[in-house]
DNA sequence: TATTGGTTGCGGAA
DNA sequence: TTCCGCAACCAATA
């Protein structure tokens, strides 16, 4: 018997999922089974690419999807292991139990996915299998936005907003599938269960099981609804006013990992926000409002899709070139392992490692510190660390923000440097986040919490932590190196004969 | 070609 | 509390 496949990649949800809805319609029209499929590519299950927390979050999201398919739809998630091109090549063979006639999926704009999908597209054509894709990872289709902007991606948030703003009020989310009309499963003879962490090569020590954020559509929707209950908080949200020092509860929604894996539809979130804004005419506005945050995501997805070699300083045409330090391994390692001697930076990097999450402005602090602020290390290296450790690691957004923070693109006022001391003091003079993530410093008085090396030895002894022994001395003198680095950036700006974007036009 | 505005810096002066 | 220097940045718009 023939069957239809809906291939989940991102978009790990049943709500507002056009590929799923269309797959169901197609299977029902032909009276054939539907296989909800996920393909695990073992290539990525490696702790040097994807950290244990992030992989665990993925497995949790798959389990939730499987559970909901079983409980509500008498179906299940079929998980196959292998290189996706090989898996589909096998699946298209006429002797395969699925006898796939059509594949439905959500389009993915990342370079890796584009290459993979074009290979599978070619393969499908040779087997006369049709693939239909839908844009649902973002609210607006980057292809269309770039077209409407004359073939180039917009390079400022404002111009992006201008392109999509009138369309925003008209968006609608799709309902979840109707349980009484859900197609049956095809007969499967091969192993198709969700693997365990151990099977994928992770050990328990790679994962913090007691971290706060856990995967799945069910938790995603609950988290969103819980957040949206407080209308006043929702309509007065202004990102720069939220604190990077707050954790449990965080000062922001913490929905980013769910948006990354598609456990939550950005369109549904936007629709719910617009409803609440409509009922509360005095609300904050983009770019700082919650809708504004979603539009930043859309903007960065659009630029990332429309710019070649986006993740490379050398080859990305909108990226300014800097002479980052070349012997950077020890510096990057100290940064990643929370050994910089700056409590604010080390606390945030510890939060990243253990929780897989950091407030946006915390990310600014540590990214600025690694690049143009203090260590002058390449943003490409920092981006790789974030990509491995963040639950919400999202290629387009991660690269965009590193370009921004290093003043390589989008942001150019390179003399605005975050201080690892003054910046946190503004939000949290008592050092809550430092005390939480760096317990060895927890007894230091507020006065010294962001610069413990300045505490007299007597106080260090009383606090049970000798700086230089129990906690490192600062690896650089921020006041000094930040000034030197501003000069380096100024030289690089002066010496480039034209801005990167103008060079690209030549 | 000039003008405008830019999610989110800091430290010191008034 | 607000403004200024840092040093004159960029992309989009008119």
């Amino acid at each position: 018997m023939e069957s239809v496949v809906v291939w989940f990649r991102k978009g790990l949800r049943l709500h507002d999922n056009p590929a799923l809805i269309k797959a169901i319609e197609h299977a029902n029209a032909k009276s054939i089974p539907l296989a909800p499929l996920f393909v695990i590519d073992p290539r990525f299950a490696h702790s040097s690419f994807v950290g244990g927390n992030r992989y665990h979050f993925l497995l949790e999201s798959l389990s939730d999807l499987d559970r909901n398919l079983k409980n509500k739809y008498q179906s299940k998630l079929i998980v196959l292991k292998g290189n996706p091109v090989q898996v589909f090549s096998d699946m298209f063979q006429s002797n395969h139990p699925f006898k796939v006639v059509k594949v439905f999926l959500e389009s993915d704009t990342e370079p890796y996915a584009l290459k993979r999908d074009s290979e599978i597209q070619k393969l499908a054509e040779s087997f006369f299998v049709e693939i239909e894709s839908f844009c649902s990872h973002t609210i607006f289709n980057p292809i269309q936005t770039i077209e409407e902007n004359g073939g180039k991606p917009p390079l400022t948030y404002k111009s992006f907003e201008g392109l999509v703003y009138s369309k925003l009020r008209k968006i609608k989310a799709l309902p979840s599938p109707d349980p009484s009309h859900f197609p049956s499963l095809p007969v499967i003879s091969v192993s198709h269960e969700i693997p365990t962490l151990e099977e994928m090569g992770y050990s328990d020590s790679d994962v913090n099981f007691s971290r706060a954020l856990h995967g799945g559509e069910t938790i995603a929707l609950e988290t969103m609804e819980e957040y949206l209950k407080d209308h006043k908080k929702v309509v007065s949200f202004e990102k720069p006013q939220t604190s990077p020092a707050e954790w449990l509860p965080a000062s922001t929604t913490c929905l980013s990992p769910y948006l990354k894996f598609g456990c939550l539809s950005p369109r549904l979130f936007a629709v719910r926000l617009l409803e609440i804004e409509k009922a509360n005419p005095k609300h904050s506005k983009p770019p700082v409002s919650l809708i504004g945050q979603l539009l930043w995501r859309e903007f960065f997805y659009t630029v990332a899709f429309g710019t070649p070699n986006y993740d490379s300083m050398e080859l990305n045409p909108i990226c300014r070139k800097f002479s980052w330090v070349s012997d950077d391994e020890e510096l990057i390692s100290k940064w990643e392992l929370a050994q910089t001697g700056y409590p604010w930076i080390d606390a945030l990097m510890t939060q990243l490692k253990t929780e897989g999450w950091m407030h946006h402005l915390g990310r600014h602090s540590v990214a600025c510190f690694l690049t143009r602020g203090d260590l002058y290390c390449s943003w490409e290296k920092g981006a790789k660390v974030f990509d491995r450790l963040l639950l919400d690691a999202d290629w387009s957004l991660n690269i965009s923000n590193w370009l921004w923070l290093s003043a390589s693109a989008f942001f150019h006022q390179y003399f605005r440097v975050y201080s690892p001391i003054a910046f946190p003091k503004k939000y949290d003079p008592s050092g809550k986040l430092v005390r939480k993530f760096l317990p060895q410093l927890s007894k230091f008085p507020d006065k010294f919490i962001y610069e413990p090396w300045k505490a007299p030895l007597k106080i260090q002894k009383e606090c049970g932590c000798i700086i230089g022994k129990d906690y490192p001395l600062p690896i650089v003198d921020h006041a000094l190196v930040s000034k030197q680095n501003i000069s380096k950036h100024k030289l690089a700006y002066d010496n480039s004969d034209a801005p990167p974007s103008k060079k690209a036009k030549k």
Side-chain angles (χ1 to χ4, degrees):
Chain A
M1 192 172 191
E2 294 178 333
S3 66
V4 173
V5 164
V6 55
W7 181 18
F8 289 91
R9 301 101 65 81
K10 291 172 182 167
L12 301 179
R13 63 172 182 264
L14 300 174
H15 72 273
D16 194 27
N17 188 333
L20 175 64
I21 296 291
K22 291 291 174 184
I24 292 167
E25 281 175 14
H26 192 79
N28 285 341
K30 298 214 153 189
S31 302
I32 56 177
L34 170 67
L37 173 74
F38 188 88
V39 180
I40 291 236
D41 187 343
R43 201 161 75 93
F44 289 103
H46 196 287
S47 50
S48 59
F49 296 125
V50 177
N53 284 331
R54 197 179 126 196
Y55 211 85
H56 187 229
F57 193 98
L58 167 67
L59 295 183
E60 288 175 325
S61 301
L62 295 179
S63 298
D64 186 66
L65 190 58
D66 182 48
R67 201 160 41 237
N68 287 335
L69 282 167
K70 279 176 181 155
N71 294 349
K72 293 179 192 159
Y73 300 105
Q74 284 75 54
S75 184
K76 80 184 298 290
L77 187 66
I78 297 161
V79 177
L80 299 178
K81 252 163 81 175
N83 177 316
V85 179
Q86 190 58 50
V87 168
F88 276 93
S89 172
D90 294 347
M91 215 187 301
F92 292 153
Q93 306 294 328
S94 55
N95 61 347
H96 192 275
F98 283 10
K99 291 194 179 50
V100 183
V101 291
K102 191 159 177 181
V103 178
F104 292 83
L105 51 82
E106 176 184 78
S107 53
D108 188 326
T109 57
E110 288 179 24
Y112 160 78
L114 288 170
K115 184 168 173 283
R116 172 198 64 195
D117 291 353
S118 87
E119 283 173 35
I120 291 171
Q121 177 67 43
K122 273 186 220 137
L123 200 62
E125 279 164 20
S126 71
F127 283 96
F128 303 102
V129 174
E130 204 184 334
I131 298 183
E132 197 172 346
S133 66
F134 300 84
C135 172
S136 49
H137 189 64
T138 51
I139 302 169
F140 304 106
N141 192 334
I143 298 172
Q144 197 190 338
T145 307
I146 289 169
E147 222 174 79
E148 286 169 11
N149 194 49
K152 293 174 303 188
L155 290 178
T156 63
Y157 177 87
K158 260 254 136 61
S159 59
F160 174 81
E161 198 189 274
L163 291 164
V164 301
Y165 206 70
S166 62
K167 290 190 256 181
L168 187 61
R169 317 270 141 201
K170 295 171 195 152
I171 59 168
K172 284 191 180 74
L174 296 170
S176 297
D178 176 358
S180 57
H181 294 96
F182 203 91
S184 61
L185 274 170
V187 179
I188 319 146
S189 47
V190 290
S191 159
H192 56 270
E193 300 304 320
I194 297 168
T196 62
L197 279 166
E198 292 73 39
E199 285 171 65
M200 298 314 298
Y202 290 92
S203 67
D204 281 5
S205 60
D206 295 326
V207 184
N208 173 18
F209 294 98
S210 57
R211 67 176 195 276
L213 301 175
H214 293 278
E217 178 183 14
T218 306
I219 305 178
L221 292 171
E222 282 167 10
T223 308
M224 178 185 75
E225 290 304 336
E226 188 58 37
Y227 191 91
L228 293 178
K229 273 183 188 166
D230 188 344
H231 287 197
K232 209 184 145 202
K233 185 172 73 180
V234 169
V235 299
S236 62
F237 183 97
E238 291 189 359
K239 187 62 162 280
Q241 306 307 316
T242 62
S243 167
E246 302 293 323
W247 180 238
L248 302 182
S251 62
T252 51
T253 66
C254 283
L255 289 172
S256 54
Y258 304 104
L259 289 165
K260 180 251 144 73
F261 285 102
C263 300
L264 175 65
S265 156
R267 191 164 59 174
L268 176 68
F269 188 31
V271 166
R272 297 284 285 111
L273 289 169
L274 288 167
E275 284 166 7
I276 295 168
E277 285 191 352
K278 210 173 174 184
N280 299 270
K282 228 190 100 190
H283 56 77
S284 59
K285 293 189 170 56
V288 296
S289 66
L290 281 165
I291 287 282
Q293 303 313 300
L294 282 172
L295 292 180
W296 277 103
R297 179 177 181 272
E298 300 282 321
F299 167 50
F300 283 147
Y301 257 96
T302 307
V303 199
F305 172 66
T307 310
N309 307 300
Y310 198 56
D311 57 4
S312 154
M313 175 178 85
E314 280 303 322
L315 302 173
N316 175 343
I318 67 165
C319 177
R320 197 172 280 269
K321 279 75 184 151
F322 297 109
S323 303
W324 304 113
V325 296
S326 47
D327 53 339
D328 55 5
E329 259 175 56
E330 198 188 331
L331 290 171
I332 290 175
S333 156
K334 283 191 168 156
W335 172 78
E336 182 188 338
L337 299 173
Q339 298 290 316
T340 70
Y342 284 97
W344 173 242
I345 302 299
D346 293 339
L348 288 164
M349 293 307 288
T350 307
Q351 182 183 25
L352 171 63
K353 170 92 180 150
T354 57
E355 295 290 342
W357 190 89
M358 231 194 266
H359 183 280
H360 184 61
L361 293 177
R363 301 181 196 201
H364 275 216
S365 293
V366 300
C368 185
F369 188 89
L370 181 73
T371 60
R372 67 183 167 88
D374 295 79
L375 304 184
Y376 220 73
C377 294
S378 159
W379 61 265
E380 292 161 292
K381 310 270 179 81
K384 284 204 175 76
V385 173
F386 269 28
D387 191 59
R388 187 169 78 239
L389 297 177
L390 282 168
L391 298 176
D392 61 32
D394 192 317
W395 187 83
S396 305
L397 308 188
N398 190 35
I399 301 299
S400 299
N401 279 301
W402 279 95
L403 288 170
W404 184 292
L405 257 297
S406 58
S408 304
F410 309 117
F411 173 84
H412 313 280
Q413 284 142 313
Y414 51 82
F415 39 83
R416 293 188 187 172
V417 177
Y418 289 87
S419 158
I421 299 151
F423 186 72
K425 263 187 196 165
K426 201 167 51 183
Y427 287 99
D428 177 21
S430 66
K432 267 186 305 206
L433 198 86
V434 169
R435 293 176 206 281
K436 189 173 286 190
F437 286 105
L438 302 176
Q440 67 270 44
L441 295 175
S442 63
K443 290 191 181 135
F444 274 76
D446 292 1
K447 191 181 165 194
F448 298 115
I449 194 69
Y450 295 120
E451 34 194 349
W453 63 91
K454 285 192 176 169
L457 196 61
K458 184 170 166 285
I459 294 186
Q460 295 185 25
K461 278 182 183 159
E462 281 166 16
C463 299
C465 177
I466 306 300
I467 304 306
K469 181 169 152 271
D470 305 312
Y471 179 76
L473 282 156
I475 50 169
V476 287
D477 177 350
H478 171 77
L480 183 72
V481 296
S482 60
K483 280 202 188 76
Q484 293 170 346
N485 291 344
I486 288 173
S487 313
K488 285 187 197 171
H489 255 45
K490 176 175 163 41
L491 272 175
Y493 268 80
D494 289 350
N495 290 342
S496 57
D497 41 4
S501 59
K502 287 194 184 140
K503 272 192 213 171
K505 279 177 208 155
K506 278 187 199 168

